[in-house]
Amino acid sequence: MSDKYGEVDFSVPPSQRFGVAMKGEIAANMRRRMPDFPALLIDALEELHIITRRFFTETTNEAACIVGNHALNDLDSFIDCLLSGDGRSAARVSRSLYEHLINYCEVMSSPLAAERYMAHKLVTVGLLGDLTHGLRYLRGNPHKQERTRLAKLKRNSLRPLREALSKFGRQFRRDWSSRNLYDRAVAHGYEKHYETYRLLSQVTHGSCGGVLGSHAEIAGQTVHRTGPSLELAALSYLEGFTFFRDFTKEIGIRQNIETRRLVESLERLLEYWPTYRAALADIDKYIWPEGPPPAPIAIMAVYPGERVRWFFWEPGLNRMKIAYPPAGQEWMEEGFIRYVRDGHVAVPPNMEGRPITSAVSGVQVTPQDGAQWFSATGILPPSMQEPAVSWLPSN
């Protein structure tokens, strides 16, 4: 997350500030624990550059070139994910690298499969032609030009798509291949990785188990974390580099391209996995909160002259925003003012113009439009940093 709350005390680990951690902070910790990781990556990328240039200039199988385009670009994204600890994105890319490995073997092994793969572009063009919902946001010439472009895409794809469906069958619209991924994997000897592919797919499909690394039980309560999943990053590192190493080996076997040095660089990265895994596990300990983060709290504040204002308080960060009063708040405000008048509040001597405050349970308030975060020390007594009055019931 960004430092949207203002200053955060970096002198304590995120575990002691309710798990709030900045992405730059995580990346810095990764660099400190793995100083040799960038050099290993650079080594592999140097070799990859040579392979990439030869692959796209020497490969005559157009379908294989397209698959390679996917794989090489996804590897670039994969490395970015690993450097930042973005495990969810890394899992999705790892999953794709497995598909690219299988698809490369398929189109290189069968001219018919290569033909089907290339023809499936017609399905994509047809789908693009149907992508008209963006027109509602355009006006004038941009609207006219985009509408014309989409209509032309749709029109030009209709006849060749009908011919492709007639040749390959109606199911061709759903999938370019005549057999599913598992059967293709078996045919090329990569079925042993299919269960890993299914595991990584849980992130893509939003399955319950796909929240690995961002969901935990702490002190008997469920805690959900947003941001990088370091646990998934460690898992994806091993699988993604394994899939791409095998992809590189297949290029060396099926084409007249020397890939030995790139394979060796990827092997060194795989051998580095225990270090990467241990570093991320260590960092993860400092990110998960020691206890469940407290929920946001509605604060009612009575100022001199009995003026009342409401605030949205984020107690874990001790930050506030001025808020709109909740619906039906009049009786709560009147009751609190009477409570203060009757002398039931022991006002601390160091209030310095601060209001008398109370947290209100069961009430939700919405920050005002454009409201900025500010430190709660401006409202709550510094000696307390909590409302002066115990929680009030909402009904």
Side-chain angles (χ1 to χ4, degrees), residues 45 64 80 164 169 182 210 230 270 280 322-323:
L45 292 174
D80 286 343
Y182 178 75
L230 303 188
L270 286 168
L280 265 62
I322 188 169

Side-chain angles (χ1 to χ4, degrees), residues 7-299:
E7 293 184 6
V8 172
D9 184 3
F10 290 103
S11 65
V12 297
S15 60
Q16 296 177 29
R17 40 185 150 100
F18 300 100
V20 175
M22 309 303 157
K23 289 184 177 179
E25 183 183 10
I26 295 172
N29 274 274
M30 291 175 63
R31 288 193 297 271
R32 185 164 62 247
R33 286 170 170 79
M34 298 180 291
D36 43 352
F37 185 41
L40 289 172
L41 289 173
I42 291 172
D43 214 36
L45 292 174
E46 284 286 338
E47 298 300 333
L48 181 64
H49 175 78
I50 305 301
I51 302 302
T52 300
R53 296 293 292 134
R54 291 197 60 187
F55 181 82
F56 287 124
T57 55
E58 298 177 20
T59 302
T60 57
N61 185 321
E62 192 174 1
C65 272
I66 299 296
V67 176
N69 186 307
H70 281 298
L72 293 163
N73 279 298
D74 277 350
L75 180 72
D76 187 61
S77 299
F78 180 63
I79 290 173
D80 286 343
C81 295
L82 295 181
L83 287 169
S84 64
D86 183 1
R88 292 184 61 80
S89 297
R92 296 186 184 101
V93 181
S94 294
R95 175 185 185 273
S96 295
L97 288 171
Y98 180 70
E99 294 191 52
H100 304 329
L101 165 63
I102 305 305
N103 291 343
Y104 173 78
C105 293
E106 185 78 350
V107 300
M108 286 295 291
S109 302
S110 166
L112 179 58
E115 180 187 0
R116 290 175 64 101
Y117 184 87
M118 295 302 297
H120 203 259
K121 181 180 179 180
L122 297 168
V123 175
T124 304
V125 174
L127 293 171
L128 286 171
D130 288 331
L131 202 63
T132 59
H133 69 268
L135 293 175
R136 72 183 71 179
Y137 302 107
L138 299 175
R139 300 290 183 273
N141 283 336
H143 180 278
K144 181 179 179 180
Q145 291 168 357
E146 179 65 1
R147 184 183 60 194
T148 300
R149 185 184 74 86
L150 293 176
K152 183 178 180 181
L153 280 175
K154 188 70 175 177
R155 182 174 61 252
N156 291 347
S157 70
L158 285 176
R159 181 175 177 181
L161 179 57
R162 281 198 298 266
E163 292 173 352
L165 292 174
S166 175
K167 180 176 183 178
F168 300 124
R170 304 304 300 179
Q171 74 279 3
F172 181 71
R173 188 186 293 272
R174 181 179 56 83
D175 192 353
W176 69 269
S177 180
S178 60
R179 51 184 178 176
N180 61 41
L181 181 67
Y182 178 75
D183 289 342
R184 300 199 301 273
V186 170
H188 301 294
Y190 290 108
E191 70 275 13
K192 64 180 181 180
H193 295 304
Y194 188 76
E195 291 305 307
T196 303
Y197 168 82
R198 290 185 60 216
L199 172 63
L200 296 169
S201 296
Q202 293 188 43
V203 179
T204 298
H205 299 319
S207 301
C208 183
V211 294
L212 190 68
S214 57
H215 171 275
E217 296 289 333
I218 301 177
Q221 295 187 39
T222 299
V223 176
H224 294 274
R225 192 172 78 189
T226 59
S229 168
L230 303 188
E231 187 174 351
L232 269 175
L235 168 66
S236 302
Y237 178 111
L238 179 64
E239 305 309 328
F241 279 134
T242 297
F243 300 152
F244 192 79
R245 179 205 58 192
D246 291 347
F247 181 87
T248 303
K249 286 182 177 180
E250 289 290 348
I251 292 176
I253 293 170
R254 296 174 183 274
Q255 299 182 240
N256 187 28
I257 298 177
E258 175 56 62
T259 62
R260 176 183 54 81
R261 287 190 296 184
L262 176 55
V263 170
E264 290 173 352
S265 294
L266 293 168
E267 289 284 5
R268 285 192 290 271
L269 281 166
L270 286 168
E271 290 168 1
Y272 190 76
W273 176 68
T275 302
Y276 184 88
R277 176 176 176 270
L280 265 62
D282 190 33
I283 294 171
D284 225 13
K285 293 176 184 177
Y286 289 94
I287 296 178
W288 279 105
E290 295 175 347
I297 298 171
I299 295 291

Side-chain angles (χ1 to χ4, degrees), residues 321-323 367-373:
K321 281 191 176 188
I322 188 169
Q368 290 188 8
D369 295 344
Q372 300 298 311
W373 290 104

Side-chain angles (χ1 to χ4, degrees), residues 5 311 318-322 372-379:
Y5 298 100
F311 296 91
N318 204 27
R319 294 291 187 268
M320 281 183 162
K321 281 191 176 188
I322 188 169
Q372 300 298 311
W373 290 104
F374 63 90
S375 174
T377 57
I379 300 296

